[in-house]
Amino acid sequence: MKCDRLWTNARIATCSPSLAGLGVVEDGVVATSAGRIVWCGPRMAFDHAVTADETIDCGGRWITPGLIDCHTHLIFAGDRSDEFARRLTGETYADIARGGGGIVASMRATRAARPADLHDMAERRLRAWRAEGVTTVEIKSGYGLDAVTECSILATARALGAHGAMRVMSTYLGAHAVPPDQGRASYLDLVCDHMIPRIAQENLADAVDGFCETIAFTATEIDRVLTAARAQHLPVKLHADQLSDSGGAALAARFTALSADHLEYAADAGLEAMAAVGTVAVVLPGAYYVLRESKAPPIASMRRAGCTIAIATDCNPGTSPIMSLRLAAHMACVFFGLTFDEAWRGITLNAAAALGIAAETGSIEIGKSCDLAIWDAENLAEILAWIGPAPLHQRVLKGRDV
Amino acid sequence: MKCDRLWTNARIATCSPSLAGLGVVEDGVVATSAGRIVWCGPRMAFDHAVTADETIDCGGRWITPGLIDCHTHLIFAGDRSDEFARRLTGETYADIARGGGGIVASMRATRAARPADLHDMAERRLRAWRAEGVTTVEIKSGYGLDAVTECSILATARALGAHGAMRVMSTYLGAHAVPPDQGRASYLDLVCDHMIPRIAQENLADAVDGFCETIAFTATEIDRVLTAARAQHLPVKLHADQLSDSGGAALAARFTALSADHLEYAADAGLEAMAAVGTVAVVLPGAYYVLRESKAPPIASMRRAGCTIAIATDCNPGTSPIMSLRLAAHMACVFFGLTFDEAWRGITLNAAAALGIAAETGSIEIGKSCDLAIWDAENLAEILAWIGPAPLHQRVLKGRDV
């Protein structure tokens, strides 16, 4: 066998589901060819007849799968830091949203921005993810809420992915809020009858998402959105049960959604339905923290139901101004009681599952894309336990240093 | 007048106590000469006859005082990430300390480390503070707990300050824990009768600190330590009332301590006594977060008493593995309800007061050291509201770019 690159002398947390724990391989080797993993395992088992164009001695460093942030809203313009200050004086997210702040404030600024500026701002933000070993980021639209701006945001997400330094998954979240310049019914018509078919035809998104909540859309309205998505063969996701039990978890399961996200108020039956169809439960501790919520997502029920649990930043300019997936994982441990192993899986393989790409990335296994994070750390716990700059040595996407 | 450098076209948050709010000057100018601020104010009031060797157009950027982290333990060896994982399974800080973990675990690793390695590890950590616009950091000893290692840590702190890129204030915290290889009484003799006089004579520390807590030292023991410090004319500080009301706040006030830190369980009378003598209340939300404490420090009582409130990272490898002063400020807002203005003062002027150097730094006022942070931000709120890489443009210490 001949391969392009070979990483040796590494401790590898493969996150392979067929191995116990995080599937750690001591004194391990990873080989890549044409961007894919062609071998991974202990050095002792490696066929030394294999030749490589390049061999990299990792000096005992840890290798994990490249991290995956499966829920962000990181393309936007404008600044909503004032909302943070207002919440410190007692205003709630719902108060602010009803008063024209929140999503609508970002919508106004995003519509007013030039596409090139939207791109550059997002590109600058993405540096924070790169510095933490993230190789895949999902980005949602939803701050345009008209045809032109939503398509522009999705095209920007596609362009950010085309640079080659980050795999970007694009999600259409037209059903984020009703724009104040349009009636509720006519906006839903636009989303379902015009936008979703167009987005499918132009391949602008990998999935369709909706915000099912008292301050956003009802379960009936979201049902229509998800039905329209399914008609176009687009996978669906859902913002579900964040501020109240809106039946979002069950709705997500009924549509075999890739994921249902937030879930603070999700009912046990909904979680069981999700587990039964493989809908991933994505917890978003950043919003929980910033909004000073007191009700954590029902992790015990999720475990009991057998849900796959992922963690994401939910990066957005209002309720989760957080550009650190490691901090999101840390907070999921501290606030929600996830274990370190759950946190690692939640930002690797399970996050890939939440994006429908678990066969492509998220673990270090033969046949998958060679997406790696190589760490200057003595142990895995240290990488997540410390808050601050990530001890990242190198990021690898599709076999290439990026 | 002639000056060395002039920053123009800036929005300046002076944090001057004689101005309202954060003392913001729009379209402002700062002038420095020989490392000190020789002018600061609105451009309109500036004497244009002044010449400068160098004039820097800030392009409308914000300038704040260089940030100050007034409580860290950042010189240590070893890794205690496993304790984080153990606490996730229900063990408490006190459990871990009693079982030989905690401070004693760091002590063993720190004693075993070479001084050059201690220095290099701390220097690497300090990069995180530099990247956030911090110009002054306090560093405590307390992971040596024998004469050689404590002096080595303090000498390392002095060396880190001597590089010129950071003002480092060094604090002797011999009374951090009783080392397991020594009796309680004989260790206190070492601290009070040998170490404190020696440290004063060799100018190894700027202050003396103690850990007054059920799992550390009693108020009576700490009284002896602080008395020994005062005999050497060393200012004192105190870890007070973190896990229980140990009378720490009142004790700190009785010694006119520079600061009393933690204070979750401080009594109102103690806070009033602190306010009366000017002892700064330092809140440490990192430890509160990591230890999942439910009792926040009594901010309302502090405000009522008129306490000066500062915020610090408490960076340490066990209970506050946090290398971000901005995140500490964010958490002080979210967890403790500080306002943004309180947070800004808490990491600038009030933090300087907690170190006894409020006449030297912490605000942008004529006569003080020219310690600045210049930010790529549209507004002040944005700098603290976002978690992730700091929008720092330039850091200035004693008038020089560092």
Side-chain angles (χ1 to χ4, degrees):
Chain A
M1 188 172 73
K2 168 121 173 38
C3 64
D4 300 334
R5 308 181 81 191
L6 199 60
W7 290 267
T8 65
N9 191 15
R11 307 177 73 185
I12 306 173
T14 62
C15 295
S16 163
S18 58
L19 300 173
L22 297 175
V24 169
V25 176
E26 300 281 349
D27 194 3
V29 171
V30 183
T32 187
S33 193
R36 308 210 78 84
I37 296 165
V38 293
W39 205 85
C40 174
R43 182 177 57 86
M44 295 299 288
F46 187 64
D47 178 356
H48 289 279
V50 173
T51 58
D53 290 344
E54 184 187 2
T55 299
I56 299 138
D57 184 331
C58 294
R61 289 190 178 86
W62 277 96
I63 300 183
T64 67
L67 307 189
I68 299 175
D69 192 347
C70 63
H71 183 140
T72 86
H73 307 248
L74 67 77
I75 299 177
F76 62 86
D79 176 66
R80 282 161 57 195
S81 312
D82 63 307
E83 292 181 14
F84 188 96
R86 284 164 65 190
R87 280 196 305 269
L88 293 177
T89 66
E91 286 189 69
T92 68
Y93 178 39
D95 291 339
I96 289 168
R98 276 189 291 263
I103 293 164
V104 168
S106 290
M107 180 207 77
R108 289 187 210 282
T110 303
R111 285 185 181 177
R114 296 186 318 152
D117 290 338
L118 276 184
H119 177 280
D120 292 351
M121 287 186 283
E123 174 66 23
R124 271 198 298 279
R125 288 177 197 129
L126 275 176
R127 287 180 204 159
W129 279 260
R130 292 204 298 264
E132 288 204 317
V134 175
T135 50
T136 299
V137 171
E138 185 251 23
I139 304 179
K140 301 179 195 298
S141 71
Y143 290 130
L145 307 181
D146 61 22
V148 170
T149 318
E150 287 291 303
C151 287
S152 170
I153 294 170
L154 294 171
T156 300
R158 287 285 188 235
L160 291 167
H163 294 187
M166 185 71 81
R167 180 185 288 103
V168 175
M169 302 298 287
S170 156
T171 301
Y172 173 55
L173 177 59
H176 198 197
V178 177
D181 53 3
Q182 194 164 5
R184 194 167 186 91
S186 82
Y187 182 64
L188 275 168
D189 290 347
L190 174 75
V191 167
C192 298
D193 302 339
H194 174 72
M195 291 298 289
I196 289 176
R198 176 175 169 187
I199 283 162
Q201 195 187 343
E202 298 181 14
N203 186 29
L204 280 171
D206 303 300
V208 170
D209 196 349
F211 189 9
C212 184
E213 190 56 69
T214 47
I215 59 167
F217 295 93
T218 66
T220 307
E221 290 166 333
I222 291 293
D223 191 302
R224 185 178 160 205
V225 172
L226 302 189
T227 301
R230 212 157 53 169
Q232 300 293 336
H233 308 292
L234 281 166
V236 301
K237 303 171 74 70
L238 200 60
H239 285 63
D241 305 328
Q242 177 186 6
L243 308 170
S244 62
D245 179 4
S246 308
L251 178 63
R254 205 157 64 244
F255 280 87
T256 324
L258 294 174
S259 71
D261 302 29
H262 285 294
L263 296 172
E264 275 79 347
Y265 289 83
D268 284 7
L271 297 171
E272 285 156 17
M274 283 171 53
V277 299
T279 296
V280 175
V282 180
V283 297
L284 303 170
Y288 172 91
Y289 161 71
V290 168
L291 296 176
R292 298 196 282 182
E293 296 291 343
S294 52
K295 184 156 167 44
I299 300 295
S301 297
M302 290 177 187
R303 287 179 182 140
R304 207 178 309 117
C307 287
T308 300
I309 303 173
I311 305 162
T313 60
D314 190 15
C315 174
N316 76 68
T319 59
S320 191
I322 289 179
M323 299 195 284
S324 170
L325 184 58
R326 284 164 61 244
L327 180 62
H330 200 281
M331 288 183 164
C333 292
V334 171
F335 292 141
F336 304 158
L338 292 195
T339 66
F340 259 26
D341 280 9
E342 286 175 320
W344 272 111
R345 281 193 294 267
I347 56 176
T348 55
L349 186 59
N350 294 359
L355 297 172
I357 53 173
E360 176 68 13
T361 187
S363 60
I364 304 175
E365 296 180 271
I366 293 173
K368 285 196 171 185
S369 179
C370 186
D371 301 345
L372 312 174
I374 308 178
W375 304 95
D376 279 319
E378 296 291 319
N379 60 65
L380 283 176
E382 187 187 332
I383 299 167
L384 290 190
W386 276 91
I387 299 175
L392 183 72
H393 175 69
Q394 183 65 55
R395 210 168 55 99
V396 175
L397 179 63
K398 301 177 185 174
R400 293 191 309 111
D401 293 348
V402 284
Chain B
M1 187 172 72
K2 171 123 172 36
C3 64
D4 299 334
R5 308 181 82 191
L6 199 60
W7 289 268
T8 64
N9 191 16
R11 307 177 73 186
I12 306 173
T14 62
C15 295
S16 163
S18 57
L19 299 173
L22 297 175
V24 169
V25 176
E26 300 283 348
D27 195 3
V29 171
V30 183
T32 186
S33 194
R36 308 210 80 84
I37 295 165
V38 294
W39 204 84
C40 175
R43 182 176 58 85
M44 295 300 286
F46 188 64
D47 178 355
H48 289 278
V50 173
T51 59
D53 290 343
E54 184 187 3
T55 299
I56 299 140
D57 184 331
C58 294
R61 290 189 178 86
W62 277 96
I63 300 182
T64 68
L67 306 189
I68 299 175
D69 192 347
C70 65
H71 182 138
T72 85
H73 307 249
L74 67 78
I75 299 177
F76 62 86
D79 176 66
R80 282 160 58 196
S81 314
D82 63 306
E83 292 181 13
F84 188 96
R86 284 163 66 189
R87 280 195 305 268
L88 293 177
T89 65
E91 286 190 70
T92 69
Y93 178 39
D95 292 339
I96 288 168
R98 276 190 291 262
I103 293 164
V104 167
S106 289
M107 180 207 79
R108 290 188 211 280
T110 303
R111 285 185 182 176
R114 296 185 318 155
D117 291 338
L118 276 183
H119 176 281
D120 291 352
M121 287 186 283
E123 172 68 22
R124 271 198 300 278
R125 288 177 197 128
L126 276 176
R127 288 179 204 160
W129 279 260
R130 292 204 297 264
E132 289 204 315
V134 175
T135 50
T136 299
V137 170
E138 186 252 22
I139 305 178
K140 302 179 195 295
S141 71
Y143 290 130
L145 307 182
D146 62 20
V148 170
T149 317
E150 286 291 304
C151 288
S152 169
I153 294 171
L154 295 171
T156 299
R158 288 284 190 235
L160 291 168
H163 293 187
M166 185 71 81
R167 179 184 289 103
V168 175
M169 302 297 289
S170 156
T171 301
Y172 174 55
L173 178 59
H176 198 198
V178 177
D181 53 2
Q182 194 164 5
R184 192 169 188 90
S186 82
Y187 183 64
L188 275 168
D189 290 347
L190 175 75
V191 168
C192 298
D193 302 339
H194 174 72
M195 290 298 290
I196 289 176
R198 176 174 167 189
I199 282 161
Q201 194 187 342
E202 299 181 13
N203 186 29
L204 281 172
D206 303 300
V208 170
D209 196 348
F211 190 10
C212 184
E213 190 54 68
T214 47
I215 59 167
F217 295 93
T218 65
T220 308
E221 289 167 334
I222 290 294
D223 190 302
R224 185 178 160 205
V225 173
L226 301 190
T227 301
R230 211 157 52 171
Q232 300 293 335
H233 308 291
L234 281 166
V236 301
K237 302 170 77 68
L238 200 60
H239 284 63
D241 305 328
Q242 177 186 8
L243 307 171
S244 61
D245 179 4
S246 307
L251 178 63
R254 203 156 68 243
F255 279 87
T256 323
L258 294 174
S259 72
D261 303 30
H262 286 293
L263 297 172
E264 274 80 348
Y265 289 84
D268 284 6
L271 296 172
E272 286 157 15
M274 282 171 54
V277 299
T279 296
V280 175
V282 180
V283 296
L284 304 169
Y288 171 90
Y289 161 72
V290 168
L291 296 176
R292 298 195 281 180
E293 296 290 345
S294 53
K295 186 158 167 42
I299 300 295
S301 297
M302 290 177 186
R303 287 178 181 141
R304 207 178 310 118
C307 287
T308 300
I309 302 173
I311 305 162
T313 60
D314 191 15
C315 174
N316 76 69
T319 60
S320 192
I322 289 179
M323 299 195 284
S324 170
L325 184 58
R326 283 165 61 245
L327 180 62
H330 200 280
M331 288 183 164
C333 293
V334 171
F335 292 141
F336 303 158
L338 293 194
T339 66
F340 259 26
D341 280 9
E342 286 176 320
W344 272 110
R345 283 192 294 267
I347 57 176
T348 54
L349 186 59
N350 294 359
L355 298 172
I357 54 174
E360 176 68 11
T361 187
S363 59
I364 304 176
E365 297 181 90
I366 292 173
K368 285 195 172 186
S369 179
C370 186
D371 302 346
L372 312 175
I374 309 178
W375 304 94
D376 278 321
E378 296 291 317
N379 60 65
L380 283 176
E382 187 187 331
I383 299 167
L384 290 190
W386 276 91
I387 300 175
L392 184 72
H393 175 70
Q394 182 65 54
R395 210 168 55 98
V396 176
L397 179 63
K398 300 177 186 173
R400 292 190 309 111
D401 293 347
V402 286

